[in-house]
Amino acid sequence: FARGTFTEINKNTNKYIGNITAIRCVLGDTSELYVNPFRCLSSVELETLVAKIFEAHGAFVPAHRGAVLKDVDIFADINDADPDVRGEFLGSTKLCVQVKINTTDLTDLRALKKFLDCEGSILITADDEPNVQLANYFSSGKYKTSEWLRMNIDKSPSVKNWLTRSLDWLPSNAWSI
């Protein structure tokens, strides 16, 4: 357990719903299975999805994964992106994006709030509902949830195809976008 390669799926099943869903599929237990598809992606896959969404709108994303800077997963230059995208992000043309599968398990949100207080920084999550402790960032447009992901995937057939292929192990009746 020390290296994180293996971890106990404990009482917090919400945190591991993607893993639990994968185990159920391997075991053939797909009855009454319905899941938020974004929770079945790894953190790298979710970052890639977000990068592909920005690229589909004409943004320049130099890398689909950060890991160089502590709080930044993706840089996106939206200067040449669709006008709707430029308007959606408060006039910033250079975005620093943090991508999280789940914010409900975060106990200390101080670092995330400090990041979101910076100009051009946004948070995109797989959460179905915004974290109440981040409500002011959600209402200001700096925090996007799975609804934003769904809306933007619907606008891009290539991104939708990528997501469908990435989740080909998940029965099609278990999710929708």
Side-chain angles (χ1 to χ4, degrees), residues 117-165:
D117 286 335
C118 297
E119 183 180 337
S121 61
I122 62 168
L123 170 66
I124 300 175
T125 73
D127 294 331
D128 286 321
E129 297 294 327
N131 183 317
V132 294
Q133 296 178 54
L134 300 170
N136 58 325
Y137 299 103
F138 181 77
S139 61
S140 72
K142 294 190 73 141
Y143 171 19
K144 309 293 185 184
T145 61
S146 63
E147 181 60 32
W148 183 88
L149 293 169
R150 283 182 174 87
M151 179 182 70
N152 282 284
I153 289 167
D154 284 342
K155 294 177 183 176
S156 174
S158 66
V159 174
K160 191 171 192 172
N161 182 51
W162 179 88
L163 179 62
T164 302
R165 290 187 70 188

mmCIF file of all heavy atoms in Angstrom, residues 117-165:
data_model
loop_
_atom_site.group_PDB
_atom_site.id
_atom_site.type_symbol
_atom_site.label_atom_id
_atom_site.label_comp_id
_atom_site.label_asym_id
_atom_site.label_seq_id
_atom_site.Cartn_x
_atom_site.Cartn_y
_atom_site.Cartn_z
ATOM 1 N N ASP A 117 -7.925 31.819 -7.266
ATOM 2 C CA ASP A 117 -7.910 33.270 -7.109
ATOM 3 C C ASP A 117 -6.979 33.956 -8.114
ATOM 4 O O ASP A 117 -7.038 35.161 -8.295
ATOM 5 C CB ASP A 117 -7.498 33.654 -5.680
ATOM 6 C CG ASP A 117 -8.606 33.393 -4.674
ATOM 7 O OD1 ASP A 117 -9.787 33.377 -5.072
ATOM 8 O OD2 ASP A 117 -8.286 33.206 -3.481
ATOM 9 N N CYS A 118 -6.140 33.190 -8.793
ATOM 10 C CA CYS A 118 -5.228 33.754 -9.795
ATOM 11 C C CYS A 118 -5.962 33.978 -11.113
ATOM 12 O O CYS A 118 -6.820 33.188 -11.501
ATOM 13 C CB CYS A 118 -4.049 32.812 -10.029
ATOM 14 S SG CYS A 118 -3.026 32.565 -8.577
ATOM 15 N N GLU A 119 -5.588 35.034 -11.803
ATOM 16 C CA GLU A 119 -6.201 35.336 -13.096
ATOM 17 C C GLU A 119 -5.898 34.234 -14.102
ATOM 18 O O GLU A 119 -4.771 33.738 -14.185
ATOM 19 C CB GLU A 119 -5.687 36.664 -13.633
ATOM 20 C CG GLU A 119 -6.349 37.063 -14.940
ATOM 21 C CD GLU A 119 -5.840 38.388 -15.476
ATOM 22 O OE1 GLU A 119 -5.335 39.192 -14.684
ATOM 23 O OE2 GLU A 119 -5.951 38.592 -16.690
ATOM 24 N N GLY A 120 -6.902 33.820 -14.850
ATOM 25 C CA GLY A 120 -6.730 32.822 -15.901
ATOM 26 C C GLY A 120 -6.722 31.385 -15.406
ATOM 27 O O GLY A 120 -6.536 30.468 -16.199
ATOM 28 N N SER A 121 -6.937 31.175 -14.123
ATOM 29 C CA SER A 121 -6.943 29.804 -13.604
ATOM 30 C C SER A 121 -8.369 29.290 -13.506
ATOM 31 O O SER A 121 -9.274 30.020 -13.116
ATOM 32 C CB SER A 121 -6.266 29.744 -12.235
ATOM 33 O OG SER A 121 -6.968 30.552 -11.315
ATOM 34 N N ILE A 122 -8.549 28.031 -13.916
ATOM 35 C CA ILE A 122 -9.873 27.417 -13.833
ATOM 36 C C ILE A 122 -9.740 25.978 -13.336
ATOM 37 O O ILE A 122 -8.688 25.363 -13.455
ATOM 38 C CB ILE A 122 -10.629 27.447 -15.185
ATOM 39 C CG1 ILE A 122 -9.885 26.663 -16.247
ATOM 40 C CG2 ILE A 122 -10.906 28.861 -15.631
ATOM 41 C CD1 ILE A 122 -10.722 26.412 -17.490
ATOM 42 N N LEU A 123 -10.832 25.487 -12.812
ATOM 43 C CA LEU A 123 -10.929 24.116 -12.318
ATOM 44 C C LEU A 123 -12.005 23.405 -13.115
ATOM 45 O O LEU A 123 -13.114 23.925 -13.267
ATOM 46 C CB LEU A 123 -11.296 24.123 -10.828
ATOM 47 C CG LEU A 123 -11.667 22.788 -10.193
ATOM 48 C CD1 LEU A 123 -10.461 21.844 -10.174
ATOM 49 C CD2 LEU A 123 -12.190 23.010 -8.772
ATOM 50 N N ILE A 124 -11.684 22.232 -13.634
ATOM 51 C CA ILE A 124 -12.663 21.411 -14.346
ATOM 52 C C ILE A 124 -12.676 20.051 -13.663
ATOM 53 O O ILE A 124 -11.628 19.427 -13.499
ATOM 54 C CB ILE A 124 -12.318 21.276 -15.841
ATOM 55 C CG1 ILE A 124 -12.298 22.672 -16.493
ATOM 56 C CG2 ILE A 124 -13.311 20.352 -16.545
ATOM 57 C CD1 ILE A 124 -11.864 22.697 -17.933
ATOM 58 N N THR A 125 -13.867 19.610 -13.248
ATOM 59 C CA THR A 125 -13.989 18.364 -12.500
ATOM 60 C C THR A 125 -15.025 17.435 -13.127
ATOM 61 O O THR A 125 -15.848 17.859 -13.926
ATOM 62 C CB THR A 125 -14.411 18.614 -11.038
ATOM 63 O OG1 THR A 125 -15.793 18.984 -10.998
ATOM 64 C CG2 THR A 125 -13.579 19.687 -10.379
ATOM 65 N N ALA A 126 -14.982 16.202 -12.691
ATOM 66 C CA ALA A 126 -15.991 15.216 -13.093
ATOM 67 C C ALA A 126 -17.166 15.209 -12.125
ATOM 68 O O ALA A 126 -18.076 14.399 -12.262
ATOM 69 C CB ALA A 126 -15.363 13.828 -13.169
ATOM 70 N N ASP A 127 -17.151 16.097 -11.149
ATOM 71 C CA ASP A 127 -18.255 16.173 -10.184
ATOM 72 C C ASP A 127 -19.573 16.449 -10.908
ATOM 73 O O ASP A 127 -19.620 17.273 -11.821
ATOM 74 C CB ASP A 127 -18.025 17.303 -9.175
ATOM 75 C CG ASP A 127 -16.838 17.083 -8.261
ATOM 76 O OD1 ASP A 127 -16.512 15.913 -7.996
ATOM 77 O OD2 ASP A 127 -16.258 18.086 -7.803
ATOM 78 N N ASP A 128 -20.634 15.772 -10.464
ATOM 79 C CA ASP A 128 -21.959 16.061 -11.015
ATOM 80 C C ASP A 128 -22.523 17.362 -10.462
ATOM 81 O O ASP A 128 -23.223 18.085 -11.154
ATOM 82 C CB ASP A 128 -22.928 14.904 -10.726
ATOM 83 C CG ASP A 128 -22.641 13.700 -11.601
ATOM 84 O OD1 ASP A 128 -22.311 13.876 -12.791
ATOM 85 O OD2 ASP A 128 -22.741 12.570 -11.090
ATOM 86 N N GLU A 129 -22.211 17.641 -9.219
ATOM 87 C CA GLU A 129 -22.660 18.869 -8.560
ATOM 88 C C GLU A 129 -21.433 19.614 -8.062
ATOM 89 O O GLU A 129 -20.460 19.002 -7.640
ATOM 90 C CB GLU A 129 -23.570 18.531 -7.368
ATOM 91 C CG GLU A 129 -24.852 17.814 -7.741
ATOM 92 C CD GLU A 129 -25.788 18.671 -8.571
ATOM 93 O OE1 GLU A 129 -25.813 19.903 -8.365
ATOM 94 O OE2 GLU A 129 -26.477 18.105 -9.447
ATOM 95 N N PRO A 130 -21.491 20.950 -8.064
ATOM 96 C CA PRO A 130 -20.338 21.702 -7.562
ATOM 97 C C PRO A 130 -20.139 21.481 -6.058
ATOM 98 O O PRO A 130 -21.107 21.329 -5.311
ATOM 99 C CB PRO A 130 -20.683 23.158 -7.845
ATOM 100 C CG PRO A 130 -22.041 23.181 -8.412
ATOM 101 C CD PRO A 130 -22.541 21.806 -8.573
ATOM 102 N N ASN A 131 -18.905 21.475 -5.643
ATOM 103 C CA ASN A 131 -18.564 21.404 -4.231
ATOM 104 C C ASN A 131 -19.062 22.696 -3.584
ATOM 105 O O ASN A 131 -18.715 23.786 -4.028
ATOM 106 C CB ASN A 131 -17.047 21.261 -4.092
ATOM 107 C CG ASN A 131 -16.585 21.107 -2.677
ATOM 108 O OD1 ASN A 131 -17.049 21.789 -1.771
ATOM 109 N ND2 ASN A 131 -15.622 20.224 -2.470
ATOM 110 N N VAL A 132 -19.859 22.588 -2.532
ATOM 111 C CA VAL A 132 -20.458 23.780 -1.913
ATOM 112 C C VAL A 132 -19.409 24.743 -1.378
ATOM 113 O O VAL A 132 -19.632 25.949 -1.331
ATOM 114 C CB VAL A 132 -21.460 23.405 -0.798
ATOM 115 C CG1 VAL A 132 -22.672 22.684 -1.375
ATOM 116 C CG2 VAL A 132 -20.812 22.582 0.280
ATOM 117 N N GLN A 133 -18.241 24.219 -1.008
ATOM 118 C CA GLN A 133 -17.175 25.085 -0.504
ATOM 119 C C GLN A 133 -16.505 25.898 -1.619
ATOM 120 O O GLN A 133 -15.742 26.807 -1.347
ATOM 121 C CB GLN A 133 -16.122 24.250 0.227
ATOM 122 C CG GLN A 133 -16.671 23.568 1.472
ATOM 123 C CD GLN A 133 -15.604 22.717 2.123
ATOM 124 O OE1 GLN A 133 -14.520 23.199 2.421
ATOM 125 N NE2 GLN A 133 -15.911 21.443 2.312
ATOM 126 N N LEU A 134 -16.830 25.554 -2.868
ATOM 127 C CA LEU A 134 -16.272 26.263 -4.012
ATOM 128 C C LEU A 134 -17.366 26.967 -4.821
ATOM 129 O O LEU A 134 -17.157 27.318 -5.987
ATOM 130 C CB LEU A 134 -15.509 25.283 -4.911
ATOM 131 C CG LEU A 134 -14.335 24.551 -4.272
ATOM 132 C CD1 LEU A 134 -13.827 23.443 -5.186
ATOM 133 C CD2 LEU A 134 -13.220 25.519 -3.916
ATOM 134 N N ALA A 135 -18.519 27.172 -4.204
ATOM 135 C CA ALA A 135 -19.689 27.706 -4.902
ATOM 136 C C ALA A 135 -19.425 29.063 -5.558
ATOM 137 O O ALA A 135 -19.895 29.315 -6.667
ATOM 138 C CB ALA A 135 -20.877 27.805 -3.946
ATOM 139 N N ASN A 136 -18.668 29.932 -4.882
ATOM 140 C CA ASN A 136 -18.416 31.249 -5.471
ATOM 141 C C ASN A 136 -17.575 31.151 -6.747
ATOM 142 O O ASN A 136 -17.760 31.929 -7.677
ATOM 143 C CB ASN A 136 -17.777 32.197 -4.457
ATOM 144 C CG ASN A 136 -16.480 31.670 -3.889
ATOM 145 O OD1 ASN A 136 -16.312 30.460 -3.696
ATOM 146 N ND2 ASN A 136 -15.557 32.569 -3.600
ATOM 147 N N TYR A 137 -16.691 30.165 -6.831
ATOM 148 C CA TYR A 137 -15.904 29.972 -8.054
ATOM 149 C C TYR A 137 -16.767 29.381 -9.167
ATOM 150 O O TYR A 137 -16.591 29.711 -10.335
ATOM 151 C CB TYR A 137 -14.690 29.064 -7.788
ATOM 152 C CG TYR A 137 -13.745 29.650 -6.771
ATOM 153 C CD1 TYR A 137 -13.729 29.177 -5.466
ATOM 154 C CD2 TYR A 137 -12.888 30.689 -7.113
ATOM 155 C CE1 TYR A 137 -12.865 29.726 -4.520
ATOM 156 C CE2 TYR A 137 -12.024 31.248 -6.176
ATOM 157 C CZ TYR A 137 -12.027 30.752 -4.881
ATOM 158 O OH TYR A 137 -11.175 31.296 -3.952
ATOM 159 N N PHE A 138 -17.701 28.529 -8.783
ATOM 160 C CA PHE A 138 -18.630 27.967 -9.761
ATOM 161 C C PHE A 138 -19.496 29.083 -10.355
ATOM 162 O O PHE A 138 -19.642 29.184 -11.571
ATOM 163 C CB PHE A 138 -19.510 26.882 -9.115
ATOM 164 C CG PHE A 138 -20.471 26.242 -10.062
ATOM 165 C CD1 PHE A 138 -20.038 25.295 -10.980
ATOM 166 C CD2 PHE A 138 -21.807 26.594 -10.049
ATOM 167 C CE1 PHE A 138 -20.929 24.715 -11.876
ATOM 168 C CE2 PHE A 138 -22.704 26.014 -10.926
ATOM 169 C CZ PHE A 138 -22.260 25.068 -11.843
ATOM 170 N N SER A 139 -20.045 29.914 -9.497
ATOM 171 C CA SER A 139 -20.928 30.980 -9.986
ATOM 172 C C SER A 139 -20.163 32.025 -10.805
ATOM 173 O O SER A 139 -20.751 32.664 -11.670
ATOM 174 C CB SER A 139 -21.680 31.633 -8.830
ATOM 175 O OG SER A 139 -20.783 32.220 -7.922
ATOM 176 N N SER A 140 -18.861 32.167 -10.559
ATOM 177 C CA SER A 140 -18.074 33.136 -11.330
ATOM 178 C C SER A 140 -17.548 32.554 -12.640
ATOM 179 O O SER A 140 -16.943 33.263 -13.439
ATOM 180 C CB SER A 140 -16.896 33.647 -10.491
ATOM 181 O OG SER A 140 -15.912 32.638 -10.356
ATOM 182 N N GLY A 141 -17.754 31.231 -12.865
ATOM 183 C CA GLY A 141 -17.325 30.604 -14.112
ATOM 184 C C GLY A 141 -15.925 30.022 -14.072
ATOM 185 O O GLY A 141 -15.425 29.529 -15.079
ATOM 186 N N LYS A 142 -15.275 30.051 -12.912
ATOM 187 C CA LYS A 142 -13.907 29.522 -12.805
ATOM 188 C C LYS A 142 -13.880 28.044 -12.443
ATOM 189 O O LYS A 142 -12.809 27.444 -12.377
ATOM 190 C CB LYS A 142 -13.122 30.327 -11.762
ATOM 191 C CG LYS A 142 -12.895 31.770 -12.198
ATOM 192 C CD LYS A 142 -11.930 32.467 -11.292
ATOM 193 C CE LYS A 142 -10.566 31.941 -11.554
ATOM 194 N NZ LYS A 142 -9.481 32.850 -11.540
ATOM 195 N N TYR A 143 -15.040 27.462 -12.225
ATOM 196 C CA TYR A 143 -15.154 26.071 -11.786
ATOM 197 C C TYR A 143 -16.226 25.416 -12.641
ATOM 198 O O TYR A 143 -17.369 25.846 -12.652
ATOM 199 C CB TYR A 143 -15.501 26.070 -10.301
ATOM 200 C CG TYR A 143 -15.876 24.762 -9.644
ATOM 201 C CD1 TYR A 143 -15.566 23.518 -10.179
ATOM 202 C CD2 TYR A 143 -16.550 24.775 -8.433
ATOM 203 C CE1 TYR A 143 -15.918 22.349 -9.539
ATOM 204 C CE2 TYR A 143 -16.913 23.611 -7.774
ATOM 205 C CZ TYR A 143 -16.593 22.404 -8.330
ATOM 206 O OH TYR A 143 -16.950 21.237 -7.687
ATOM 207 N N LYS A 144 -15.824 24.404 -13.395
ATOM 208 C CA LYS A 144 -16.724 23.698 -14.304
ATOM 209 C C LYS A 144 -16.894 22.257 -13.823
ATOM 210 O O LYS A 144 -15.945 21.648 -13.335
ATOM 211 C CB LYS A 144 -16.168 23.682 -15.732
ATOM 212 C CG LYS A 144 -15.741 25.040 -16.266
ATOM 213 C CD LYS A 144 -16.896 25.963 -16.470
ATOM 214 C CE LYS A 144 -16.432 27.267 -17.115
ATOM 215 N NZ LYS A 144 -17.509 28.231 -17.240
ATOM 216 N N THR A 145 -18.088 21.709 -14.009
ATOM 217 C CA THR A 145 -18.385 20.348 -13.575
ATOM 218 C C THR A 145 -18.641 19.442 -14.785
ATOM 219 O O THR A 145 -18.434 19.843 -15.924
ATOM 220 C CB THR A 145 -19.625 20.331 -12.657
ATOM 221 O OG1 THR A 145 -20.743 20.826 -13.409
ATOM 222 C CG2 THR A 145 -19.408 21.182 -11.408
ATOM 223 N N SER A 146 -19.139 18.248 -14.520
ATOM 224 C CA SER A 146 -19.412 17.284 -15.586
ATOM 225 C C SER A 146 -20.419 17.827 -16.604
ATOM 226 O O SER A 146 -20.394 17.419 -17.762
ATOM 227 C CB SER A 146 -19.902 15.961 -15.005
ATOM 228 O OG SER A 146 -21.128 16.136 -14.334
ATOM 229 N N GLU A 147 -21.261 18.739 -16.191
ATOM 230 C CA GLU A 147 -22.220 19.340 -17.134
ATOM 231 C C GLU A 147 -21.470 20.085 -18.242
ATOM 232 O O GLU A 147 -21.839 20.009 -19.410
ATOM 233 C CB GLU A 147 -23.170 20.284 -16.400
ATOM 234 C CG GLU A 147 -24.203 20.925 -17.287
ATOM 235 C CD GLU A 147 -25.110 19.914 -17.993
ATOM 236 O OE1 GLU A 147 -25.389 18.844 -17.422
ATOM 237 O OE2 GLU A 147 -25.544 20.199 -19.128
ATOM 238 N N TRP A 148 -20.412 20.790 -17.885
ATOM 239 C CA TRP A 148 -19.586 21.494 -18.876
ATOM 240 C C TRP A 148 -18.917 20.487 -19.807
ATOM 241 O O TRP A 148 -18.869 20.691 -21.028
ATOM 242 C CB TRP A 148 -18.541 22.357 -18.160
ATOM 243 C CG TRP A 148 -17.694 23.163 -19.089
ATOM 244 C CD1 TRP A 148 -17.972 24.412 -19.575
ATOM 245 C CD2 TRP A 148 -16.431 22.788 -19.652
ATOM 246 N NE1 TRP A 148 -16.950 24.830 -20.413
ATOM 247 C CE2 TRP A 148 -15.986 23.851 -20.466
ATOM 248 C CE3 TRP A 148 -15.612 21.661 -19.543
ATOM 249 C CZ2 TRP A 148 -14.786 23.818 -21.170
ATOM 250 C CZ3 TRP A 148 -14.415 21.622 -20.245
ATOM 251 C CH2 TRP A 148 -14.019 22.698 -21.045
ATOM 252 N N LEU A 149 -18.414 19.394 -19.233
ATOM 253 C CA LEU A 149 -17.796 18.354 -20.064
ATOM 254 C C LEU A 149 -18.811 17.802 -21.060
ATOM 255 O O LEU A 149 -18.523 17.707 -22.254
ATOM 256 C CB LEU A 149 -17.250 17.225 -19.187
ATOM 257 C CG LEU A 149 -16.067 17.563 -18.278
ATOM 258 C CD1 LEU A 149 -15.817 16.432 -17.292
ATOM 259 C CD2 LEU A 149 -14.824 17.850 -19.105
ATOM 260 N N ARG A 150 -19.989 17.441 -20.583
ATOM 261 C CA ARG A 150 -21.037 16.880 -21.459
ATOM 262 C C ARG A 150 -21.409 17.851 -22.577
ATOM 263 O O ARG A 150 -21.517 17.469 -23.735
ATOM 264 C CB ARG A 150 -22.277 16.525 -20.640
ATOM 265 C CG ARG A 150 -22.151 15.271 -19.847
ATOM 266 C CD ARG A 150 -23.449 14.958 -19.080
ATOM 267 N NE ARG A 150 -23.354 13.677 -18.428
ATOM 268 C CZ ARG A 150 -22.838 13.487 -17.213
ATOM 269 N NH1 ARG A 150 -22.393 14.518 -16.522
ATOM 270 N NH2 ARG A 150 -22.773 12.282 -16.691
ATOM 271 N N MET A 151 -21.624 19.101 -22.204
ATOM 272 C CA MET A 151 -22.032 20.110 -23.189
ATOM 273 C C MET A 151 -20.975 20.252 -24.288
ATOM 274 O O MET A 151 -21.297 20.327 -25.468
ATOM 275 C CB MET A 151 -22.243 21.451 -22.481
ATOM 276 C CG MET A 151 -22.655 22.582 -23.393
ATOM 277 S SD MET A 151 -22.837 24.130 -22.498
ATOM 278 C CE MET A 151 -21.118 24.482 -22.122
ATOM 279 N N ASN A 152 -19.711 20.253 -23.904
ATOM 280 C CA ASN A 152 -18.655 20.431 -24.895
ATOM 281 C C ASN A 152 -18.367 19.167 -25.694
ATOM 282 O O ASN A 152 -17.963 19.255 -26.854
ATOM 283 C CB ASN A 152 -17.393 20.962 -24.212
ATOM 284 C CG ASN A 152 -17.521 22.437 -23.939
ATOM 285 O OD1 ASN A 152 -17.389 23.249 -24.846
ATOM 286 N ND2 ASN A 152 -17.837 22.786 -22.713
ATOM 287 N N ILE A 153 -18.567 18.017 -25.112
ATOM 288 C CA ILE A 153 -18.407 16.762 -25.862
ATOM 289 C C ILE A 153 -19.485 16.664 -26.933
ATOM 290 O O ILE A 153 -19.215 16.230 -28.051
ATOM 291 C CB ILE A 153 -18.437 15.557 -24.901
ATOM 292 C CG1 ILE A 153 -17.154 15.537 -24.080
ATOM 293 C CG2 ILE A 153 -18.622 14.249 -25.664
ATOM 294 C CD1 ILE A 153 -17.197 14.603 -22.903
ATOM 295 N N ASP A 154 -20.689 17.095 -26.610
ATOM 296 C CA ASP A 154 -21.777 17.075 -27.594
ATOM 297 C C ASP A 154 -21.478 17.949 -28.804
ATOM 298 O O ASP A 154 -22.007 17.713 -29.883
ATOM 299 C CB ASP A 154 -23.089 17.525 -26.941
ATOM 300 C CG ASP A 154 -23.706 16.457 -26.077
ATOM 301 O OD1 ASP A 154 -23.341 15.270 -26.225
ATOM 302 O OD2 ASP A 154 -24.565 16.795 -25.234
ATOM 303 N N LYS A 155 -20.624 18.946 -28.633
ATOM 304 C CA LYS A 155 -20.285 19.859 -29.731
ATOM 305 C C LYS A 155 -19.183 19.326 -30.639
ATOM 306 O O LYS A 155 -18.918 19.914 -31.683
ATOM 307 C CB LYS A 155 -19.841 21.206 -29.168
ATOM 308 C CG LYS A 155 -20.928 21.973 -28.446
ATOM 309 C CD LYS A 155 -20.373 23.259 -27.864
ATOM 310 C CE LYS A 155 -21.417 24.004 -27.071
ATOM 311 N NZ LYS A 155 -20.848 25.208 -26.435
ATOM 312 N N SER A 156 -18.530 18.246 -30.235
ATOM 313 C CA SER A 156 -17.390 17.762 -31.011
ATOM 314 C C SER A 156 -17.455 16.255 -31.227
ATOM 315 O O SER A 156 -17.176 15.478 -30.312
ATOM 316 C CB SER A 156 -16.084 18.108 -30.291
ATOM 317 O OG SER A 156 -15.006 17.524 -30.963
ATOM 318 N N PRO A 157 -17.795 15.815 -32.439
ATOM 319 C CA PRO A 157 -17.843 14.379 -32.718
ATOM 320 C C PRO A 157 -16.517 13.662 -32.477
ATOM 321 O O PRO A 157 -16.502 12.526 -32.014
ATOM 322 C CB PRO A 157 -18.233 14.316 -34.196
ATOM 323 C CG PRO A 157 -18.897 15.621 -34.480
ATOM 324 C CD PRO A 157 -18.234 16.620 -33.577
ATOM 325 N N SER A 158 -15.392 14.329 -32.752
ATOM 326 C CA SER A 158 -14.101 13.660 -32.558
ATOM 327 C C SER A 158 -13.820 13.431 -31.075
ATOM 328 O O SER A 158 -13.275 12.388 -30.695
ATOM 329 C CB SER A 158 -12.969 14.451 -33.208
ATOM 330 O OG SER A 158 -12.790 15.698 -32.562
ATOM 331 N N VAL A 159 -14.193 14.368 -30.230
ATOM 332 C CA VAL A 159 -13.995 14.201 -28.789
ATOM 333 C C VAL A 159 -14.947 13.125 -28.264
ATOM 334 O O VAL A 159 -14.552 12.279 -27.456
ATOM 335 C CB VAL A 159 -14.190 15.537 -28.039
ATOM 336 C CG1 VAL A 159 -14.118 15.334 -26.529
ATOM 337 C CG2 VAL A 159 -13.155 16.560 -28.490
ATOM 338 N N LYS A 160 -16.162 13.140 -28.753
ATOM 339 C CA LYS A 160 -17.135 12.112 -28.335
ATOM 340 C C LYS A 160 -16.644 10.726 -28.742
ATOM 341 O O LYS A 160 -16.754 9.759 -27.976
ATOM 342 C CB LYS A 160 -18.502 12.404 -28.949
ATOM 343 C CG LYS A 160 -19.616 11.579 -28.382
ATOM 344 C CD LYS A 160 -20.966 12.074 -28.887
ATOM 345 C CE LYS A 160 -22.084 11.454 -28.098
ATOM 346 N NZ LYS A 160 -23.386 12.039 -28.411
ATOM 347 N N ASN A 161 -16.086 10.619 -29.936
ATOM 348 C CA ASN A 161 -15.543 9.351 -30.402
ATOM 349 C C ASN A 161 -14.372 8.906 -29.522
ATOM 350 O O ASN A 161 -14.263 7.731 -29.168
ATOM 351 C CB ASN A 161 -15.099 9.464 -31.867
ATOM 352 C CG ASN A 161 -14.582 8.154 -32.404
ATOM 353 O OD1 ASN A 161 -15.230 7.122 -32.293
ATOM 354 N ND2 ASN A 161 -13.390 8.195 -32.975
ATOM 355 N N TRP A 162 -13.493 9.843 -29.162
ATOM 356 C CA TRP A 162 -12.366 9.501 -28.291
ATOM 357 C C TRP A 162 -12.867 8.960 -26.948
ATOM 358 O O TRP A 162 -12.365 7.948 -26.456
ATOM 359 C CB TRP A 162 -11.470 10.731 -28.068
ATOM 360 C CG TRP A 162 -10.325 10.435 -27.160
ATOM 361 C CD1 TRP A 162 -9.097 9.957 -27.514
ATOM 362 C CD2 TRP A 162 -10.300 10.541 -25.737
ATOM 363 N NE1 TRP A 162 -8.324 9.770 -26.395
ATOM 364 C CE2 TRP A 162 -9.041 10.127 -25.291
ATOM 365 C CE3 TRP A 162 -11.237 10.959 -24.786
ATOM 366 C CZ2 TRP A 162 -8.680 10.116 -23.950
ATOM 367 C CZ3 TRP A 162 -10.891 10.948 -23.449
ATOM 368 C CH2 TRP A 162 -9.611 10.522 -23.044
ATOM 369 N N LEU A 163 -13.861 9.632 -26.371
ATOM 370 C CA LEU A 163 -14.399 9.188 -25.077
ATOM 371 C C LEU A 163 -15.049 7.818 -25.201
ATOM 372 O O LEU A 163 -14.825 6.932 -24.367
ATOM 373 C CB LEU A 163 -15.405 10.198 -24.538
ATOM 374 C CG LEU A 163 -16.051 9.841 -23.199
ATOM 375 C CD1 LEU A 163 -15.002 9.750 -22.093
ATOM 376 C CD2 LEU A 163 -17.134 10.850 -22.846
ATOM 377 N N THR A 164 -15.813 7.602 -26.246
ATOM 378 C CA THR A 164 -16.467 6.309 -26.457
ATOM 379 C C THR A 164 -15.441 5.192 -26.598
ATOM 380 O O THR A 164 -15.601 4.122 -26.009
ATOM 381 C CB THR A 164 -17.371 6.374 -27.706
ATOM 382 O OG1 THR A 164 -18.337 7.425 -27.511
ATOM 383 C CG2 THR A 164 -18.100 5.073 -27.935
ATOM 384 N N ARG A 165 -14.386 5.448 -27.341
ATOM 385 C CA ARG A 165 -13.326 4.433 -27.503
ATOM 386 C C ARG A 165 -12.573 4.209 -26.192
ATOM 387 O O ARG A 165 -12.177 3.092 -25.884
ATOM 388 C CB ARG A 165 -12.365 4.842 -28.612
ATOM 389 C CG ARG A 165 -13.030 4.756 -29.982
ATOM 390 C CD ARG A 165 -12.077 4.978 -31.094
ATOM 391 N NE ARG A 165 -11.168 3.834 -31.188
ATOM 392 C CZ ARG A 165 -10.107 3.815 -31.978
ATOM 393 N NH1 ARG A 165 -9.824 4.856 -32.732
ATOM 394 N NH2 ARG A 165 -9.334 2.763 -32.020
#
